[in-house]
Amino acid sequence: HAKSEGRGRFRFFSEEMNHKILHRVALENALRQGLERGEFFLHYQPQWDLRTNRMVGAEVLLRWQSADFGLMLPSEFISLTEDSGLILGIGEWVLRSACQQARLWARQGHPEFRVAVNVSSKQLKQQDFVAMLNQVILETGVDPKSLELEFTESVIMENAERTIETLEALKDMGVQLSIDDFGTGYSSLNYLKHFPVDRIKIDRSFVADVSRSTDDAAIVEAIITMAQSLSLKVLAEGVENSDQLHHLSQLGCDEVQGFYLAMPMPADALEGSLGREHGRRVGKHEVTE
Ligand code: C2E
Ligand code: MG
Ligand code: MG
Ligand code: MG
């Protein structure tokens, strides 16, 4: 009866696989329609300068209010958009929307405020990415200095030579560049000098234990020291409590971002605090409209 059991198990797995494939297809179709239906929207998570205590920028985070699946976070759909190529259209929409928003904030008296957009490897590898971005900048009238593009370490290491050329073209346009989730990939700190980046974002896994683990504190300190010698800014992400904030400040970290200071929020919710000094954190829960 081992045989029949095996067959049963096979049928079970195949049904499960079937279900997964169907779910994927449905999700992909919903994503495809999401752009046309206007189901995507953006949240902005403030970033603070630790020296001046001012809000100096915000990271742009994609949200999807799907008619079929409800509210979806990037972890549930970004990789599918990358596999299917949908990330190109969605990514362009994110860039255009973020640039429009930055332009609006500049008009409202905050020309220095920066918006940081996550860029996927598929986008960076796209032949006409630089031309597309140039077009978006011209159309929206945004000052390129107030736009920052975030790439992960692995993206940058994947195809180092071509990537450097693309990054240099982006720098020539005047945009700022940062390396996201720094410390989780394989690049050596020393390798950073080959890339024309302005800022590194220390991954939140190191920030989590910075006040409890001497190892993590040492790693953060090493990253900050190296960054300073290369004249790069360091932003720590995922700051969730005052202990972490205090330690990062002591270690000489330039900027911070995290739930302790502010949750990701709609653009209008952030407007009142633009350029202001921070007191207490802004907002307890992520507000979704
Ligand atoms: P990321 O670029 O590292 O973005 C930071 C993520 O950490 C965000 O998650 C944010 O909500 C979360 N976060 C911020 N502060 C804290 C904190 O104090 N504690 C904890 N535990 N988490 C915190 P989110 O919005 O779910 O985004 C996840 C990832 O999805 C992003 O990671 C980014 O890689 C990707 N992503 C988001 N928006 C876009 C986009 O427009 N395009 C692309 N290609 N990727 C995006
Ligand atoms: Mg990011
Ligand atoms: Mg990150
Ligand atoms: Mg991350």
Side-chain angles (χ1 to χ4, degrees):
H1 74 286
K3 223 178 186 176
S4 63
E5 210 176 75
R7 217 178 287 138
R9 203 177 296 143
F10 174 74
R11 198 175 319 122
F12 172 73
F13 278 127
S14 113
E15 266 164 31
E16 189 181 276
M17 289 250 280
N18 230 345
H19 181 79
K20 272 193 183 150
I21 291 166
L22 285 177
H23 177 77
R24 219 182 133 89
V25 170
L27 199 59
E28 198 178 312
N29 284 332
L31 277 164
R32 214 176 283 282
Q33 294 171 331
L35 257 191
E36 299 155 27
R37 293 180 178 166
E39 292 179 346
F40 293 102
F41 61 100
L42 301 177
H43 273 181
Y44 293 80
Q45 186 178 33
Q47 300 176 329
W48 311 81
D49 184 315
L50 279 180
R51 200 175 45 81
T52 62
N53 272 343
R54 284 180 196 283
M55 195 198 283
V56 288
E59 178 170 8
V60 179
L61 297 162
L62 183 59
R63 301 290 178 257
W64 178 32
Q65 184 65 56
S66 163
D68 306 319
F69 296 92
L71 180 69
M72 301 281 277
L73 291 173
S75 58
E76 299 169 285
F77 67 85
I78 283 285
S79 72
L80 187 56
T81 68
E82 287 174 334
D83 297 345
S84 60
L86 287 167
I87 189 66
L88 301 182
I90 295 171
E92 185 173 341
W93 177 85
V94 172
L95 275 166
R96 184 166 279 109
S97 309
C99 286
Q100 279 164 353
Q101 186 59 62
R103 174 74 181 121
L104 197 67
W105 281 332
R107 283 220 182 103
Q108 292 172 357
H110 307 285
E112 307 284 300
F113 197 76
R114 122 191 136 229
V115 295
V117 175
N118 292 286
V119 177
S120 127
S121 68
K122 290 275 150 49
Q123 290 175 275
L124 193 64
K125 283 190 197 131
Q126 201 186 2
Q127 282 299 332
D128 61 351
F129 180 75
V130 175
M132 180 274 285
L133 184 68
N134 205 18
Q135 185 66 28
V136 167
I137 288 174
L138 289 174
E139 276 171 26
T140 57
V142 72
D143 180 350
K145 278 202 302 291
S146 57
L147 175 65
E148 176 169 285
L149 303 180
E150 296 191 359
F151 306 97
T152 59
E153 234 180 321
S154 53
V155 168
I156 287 183
M157 299 301 292
E158 253 171 48
N159 186 352
E161 234 160 82
R162 243 203 88 201
T163 305
I164 291 176
E165 279 174 29
T166 308
L167 296 184
E168 259 149 18
L170 294 169
K171 274 310 317 168
D172 287 344
M173 287 165 56
V175 303
Q176 300 191 47
L177 306 177
S178 67
I179 304 183
D180 203 359
D181 303 341
F182 190 82
T184 57
Y186 299 98
S187 61
S188 72
L189 284 167
N190 187 47
Y191 207 78
L192 278 176
K193 64 169 178 269
H194 300 292
F195 298 101
V197 295
D198 302 281
R199 178 176 287 100
I200 56 185
K201 298 186 70 177
I202 301 180
D203 191 68
R204 68 165 182 264
S205 57
F206 301 107
V207 173
D209 285 329
V210 72
S211 53
R212 282 178 305 190
S213 147
T214 48
D215 284 352
D216 284 359
I219 290 169
V220 170
E221 190 171 11
I223 294 175
I224 292 171
T225 305
M226 178 66 82
Q228 281 170 345
S229 73
L230 294 169
S231 302
L232 302 175
K233 292 273 182 202
V234 179
L235 182 147
E237 60 179 15
V239 178
E240 293 183 349
N241 59 53
S242 61
D243 275 357
Q244 292 163 351
L245 186 62
H246 176 75
H247 274 79
L248 290 162
S249 178
Q250 292 292 302
L251 293 171
C253 184
D254 300 295
E255 293 166 344
V256 284
Q257 168 185 350
F259 294 167
Y260 178 65
L261 294 145
M263 304 294 289
M265 63 184 89
D268 55 359
L270 180 150
E271 256 149 40
S273 326
L274 281 177
R276 294 253 185 87
E277 287 190 26
H278 76 77
R280 277 175 297 137
R281 58 189 292 212
V282 185
K284 284 203 183 81
H285 304 285
E286 184 162 2
V287 188
T288 49
E289 54 264 68

